[in-house]
Amino acid sequence: MPRDRNVRRALALQLDPTLPPSLELREGLCPILRPDSAMKERLERHAEPLPVCRGEGCAVHAFFEQARADGVPVELDVGCGYGRFGRAHAAANPGLRVLGLEQDEARVARSDVTARRLGITNLAYLIGEARYALEYCVPPASVAAVFILFPDPWPKDRHARNRIFRAPVINLIHRLLAPGGLLHAATDNQPYFGQMLAVMAEDSRFAPVPPYVRGPEEQTDFERKFLAQDKSVHAASWRKLP
């Protein structure tokens, strides 16, 4: 399959010894991030025993421990895709560390190679499904900001439960945000934006704040496509209350 060849090519390029060492957090260290059908069912139902991250030999754990030791804030780019926003945001803010969450291996590989070629050293990637990474990999109160930019709107009613902006996922985000931490969201889908606002309006643990303003360099690939089609972009931000 052409896609399989592209994935292999991107992953091979990621291991190019002529490039600087990568900060990429490789998939495979933790079965939670690539659950089989049986584990997926346990994770969704929270049936015992649940897998528990003990931090032993875990690159994700080491990433957060190092950031804590250095006194550097961490921000998450959830569903980072090809990483255009994350690269620009990390490059413009060398005093923080950005962790991109993305389940597509080829996208992560290409993003990682591009970041290293640009000399961006405060950016890392985690391959895996976002909701599992948020629940099992990110320590509580360890994140200064979470960006959810142009998530899949899942427009059909029967697929709405797959949307990331739902109360169970917001609970996870609240747990991992430090006091005063920020949640930033953007979408081109008006109905989905309405749902985002409704979900957050019902959560008294957050307060709305002015939306985070992203310049042209921080626009995602999807955003640039939507703007070229004269579509409206809707954005909102919230702060976790003490």
Side-chain angles (χ1 to χ4, degrees):
M1 295 283 293
R3 177 171 173 77
D4 293 334
R5 288 198 299 271
N6 289 338
V7 170
R8 288 197 298 271
R9 192 174 297 121
L11 291 173
L13 182 60
Q14 187 183 42
L15 302 178
D16 184 347
T18 65
L19 291 172
S22 173
L23 287 178
E24 186 262 340
L25 307 179
R26 296 183 187 173
E27 177 268 335
L29 293 174
C30 180
I32 292 171
L33 299 181
R34 289 293 187 189
D36 58 21
S37 58
M39 181 176 286
K40 218 173 227 189
E41 184 178 355
R42 286 163 54 201
L43 291 169
E44 294 293 346
R45 290 190 296 109
H46 279 222
E48 296 297 337
L50 281 174
V52 176
C53 178
R54 304 187 185 281
E56 300 172 0
C58 175
V60 184
H61 178 79
F63 173 85
F64 280 98
E65 281 296 299
Q66 190 61 56
R68 183 184 63 80
D70 295 341
V72 177
V74 174
E75 297 187 356
L76 300 186
D77 182 10
V78 178
C80 60
Y82 287 106
R84 191 173 189 274
F85 165 76
R87 288 193 300 274
H89 190 62
N93 297 276
L96 59 80
R97 295 192 185 145
V98 178
L99 178 63
L101 307 182
E102 173 60 49
Q103 64 179 343
D104 189 295
E105 292 179 339
R107 288 180 177 180
V108 168
R110 293 172 185 173
S111 300
D112 179 60
V113 169
T114 301
R116 285 187 284 146
R117 285 177 169 168
L118 293 172
I120 302 171
T121 60
N122 59 328
L123 173 63
Y125 294 99
L126 174 55
I127 302 172
E129 294 192 38
R131 65 186 183 277
Y132 300 141
L134 294 175
E135 184 161 6
Y136 298 103
C137 303
V138 181
S142 63
V143 175
V146 175
F147 290 87
I148 303 178
L149 306 178
F150 303 92
D152 191 331
W154 293 99
K156 295 182 179 179
D157 289 342
R158 68 177 183 273
H159 295 152
R161 64 185 179 87
N162 295 323
R163 290 176 173 174
I164 196 167
F165 249 88
R166 296 177 294 117
V169 181
I170 300 304
N171 285 337
L172 299 179
I173 291 173
H174 180 270
R175 180 188 66 85
L176 61 88
L177 278 175
L182 295 165
L183 170 59
H184 306 292
T187 180
D188 70 304
N189 187 288
Q190 178 63 56
Y192 193 11
F193 186 61
Q195 178 190 326
M196 292 178 179
L197 297 179
V199 168
M200 297 306 295
E202 293 176 358
D203 197 323
S204 60
R205 300 170 298 176
F206 291 89
V209 296
Y212 179 84
V213 178
R214 288 168 293 110
E217 69 283 352
E218 286 190 346
Q219 291 174 352
T220 72
D221 292 312
F222 280 119
E223 183 173 14
R224 297 177 82 190
K225 175 183 176 181
F226 298 145
L227 292 175
Q229 297 172 351
D230 292 327
K231 292 185 177 181
S232 298
V233 169
H234 312 283
S237 296
W238 301 267
R239 183 181 300 279
K240 176 181 175 178
L241 298 175

